[in-house]
CSV table of all heavy atoms in Angstrom, one decimal:
chain,number,residue,atom,x,y,z
A,387,ASN,N,18.1,-6.0,-12.7
A,387,ASN,CA,18.3,-4.9,-13.6
A,387,ASN,C,17.6,-5.3,-14.9
A,387,ASN,O,18.0,-6.3,-15.5
A,387,ASN,CB,19.8,-4.7,-13.9
A,387,ASN,CG,20.1,-3.6,-14.9
A,387,ASN,OD1,19.2,-3.1,-15.6
A,387,ASN,ND2,21.4,-3.4,-15.1
A,388,PRO,N,16.6,-4.5,-15.4
A,388,PRO,CA,15.9,-5.0,-16.7
A,388,PRO,C,16.8,-5.1,-17.9
A,388,PRO,O,16.5,-5.9,-18.8
A,388,PRO,CB,14.9,-3.8,-16.9
A,388,PRO,CG,15.4,-2.7,-16.1
A,388,PRO,CD,16.1,-3.3,-14.9
A,389,LEU,N,18.0,-4.5,-17.9
A,389,LEU,CA,18.9,-4.6,-19.0
A,389,LEU,C,19.5,-6.0,-19.1
A,389,LEU,O,20.0,-6.4,-20.1
A,389,LEU,CB,20.0,-3.5,-18.9
A,389,LEU,CG,19.5,-2.1,-19.1
A,389,LEU,CD1,20.7,-1.1,-19.0
A,389,LEU,CD2,18.8,-1.9,-20.4
A,390,THR,N,19.6,-6.7,-17.9
A,390,THR,CA,20.2,-8.0,-17.9
A,390,THR,C,19.3,-9.0,-18.5
A,390,THR,O,19.8,-10.2,-18.8
A,390,THR,CB,20.6,-8.4,-16.5
A,390,THR,OG1,19.4,-8.6,-15.7
A,390,THR,CG2,21.5,-7.4,-15.8
A,391,LYS,N,18.1,-8.7,-18.7
A,391,LYS,CA,17.1,-9.7,-19.3
A,391,LYS,C,17.5,-10.1,-20.7
A,391,LYS,O,17.2,-11.2,-21.2
A,391,LYS,CB,15.7,-9.2,-19.2
A,391,LYS,CG,15.2,-9.0,-17.8
A,391,LYS,CD,13.7,-8.7,-17.8
A,391,LYS,CE,13.1,-8.3,-16.5
A,391,LYS,NZ,13.6,-9.1,-15.3
A,392,GLY,N,18.3,-9.3,-21.3
A,392,GLY,CA,18.8,-9.6,-22.7
A,392,GLY,C,20.1,-10.3,-22.7
A,392,GLY,O,20.6,-10.7,-23.8
A,393,THR,N,20.7,-10.6,-21.5
A,393,THR,CA,21.9,-11.3,-21.4
A,393,THR,C,21.7,-12.8,-21.0
A,393,THR,O,21.0,-13.0,-20.0
A,393,THR,CB,22.8,-10.7,-20.3
A,393,THR,OG1,23.1,-9.3,-20.6
A,393,THR,CG2,24.2,-11.4,-20.3
A,394,PRO,N,22.1,-13.7,-21.8
A,394,PRO,CA,22.0,-15.1,-21.5
A,394,PRO,C,22.8,-15.5,-20.3
A,394,PRO,O,24.1,-15.6,-20.4
A,394,PRO,CB,22.4,-15.9,-22.7
A,394,PRO,CG,23.2,-15.0,-23.5
A,394,PRO,CD,22.8,-13.6,-23.1
A,395,ILE,N,22.2,-15.6,-19.1
A,395,ILE,CA,22.9,-15.9,-17.8
A,395,ILE,C,22.7,-17.3,-17.4
A,395,ILE,O,21.5,-17.8,-17.4
A,395,ILE,CB,22.5,-14.9,-16.7
A,395,ILE,CG1,22.7,-13.5,-17.1
A,395,ILE,CG2,23.2,-15.3,-15.4
A,395,ILE,CD1,22.2,-12.4,-16.1
A,396,ALA,N,23.8,-18.0,-17.2
A,396,ALA,CA,23.7,-19.4,-16.7
A,396,ALA,C,23.9,-19.5,-15.2
A,396,ALA,O,24.7,-18.7,-14.7
A,396,ALA,CB,24.7,-20.3,-17.4
A,397,THR,N,23.3,-20.4,-14.5
A,397,THR,CA,23.5,-20.6,-13.1
A,397,THR,C,23.2,-22.0,-12.7
A,397,THR,O,22.5,-22.7,-13.4
A,397,THR,CB,22.6,-19.6,-12.3
A,397,THR,OG1,22.8,-19.8,-10.9
A,397,THR,CG2,21.1,-20.0,-12.5
A,398,ASN,N,23.8,-22.4,-11.6
A,398,ASN,CA,23.5,-23.7,-11.0
A,398,ASN,C,22.6,-23.5,-9.7
A,398,ASN,O,22.4,-24.4,-8.9
A,398,ASN,CB,24.7,-24.5,-10.5
A,398,ASN,CG,25.5,-23.8,-9.4
A,398,ASN,OD1,25.3,-22.6,-9.2
A,398,ASN,ND2,26.3,-24.5,-8.7
A,399,SER,N,21.9,-22.3,-9.7
A,399,SER,CA,21.0,-22.0,-8.5
A,399,SER,C,19.6,-22.1,-9.0
A,399,SER,O,19.2,-21.3,-9.8
A,399,SER,CB,21.4,-20.6,-8.0
A,399,SER,OG,20.3,-20.2,-7.1
Side-chain angles (χ1 to χ4, degrees):
N387 176 357
L389 295 179
T390 65
K391 295 191 188 318
T393 303
I395 299 174
T397 184
N398 68 336
S399 166

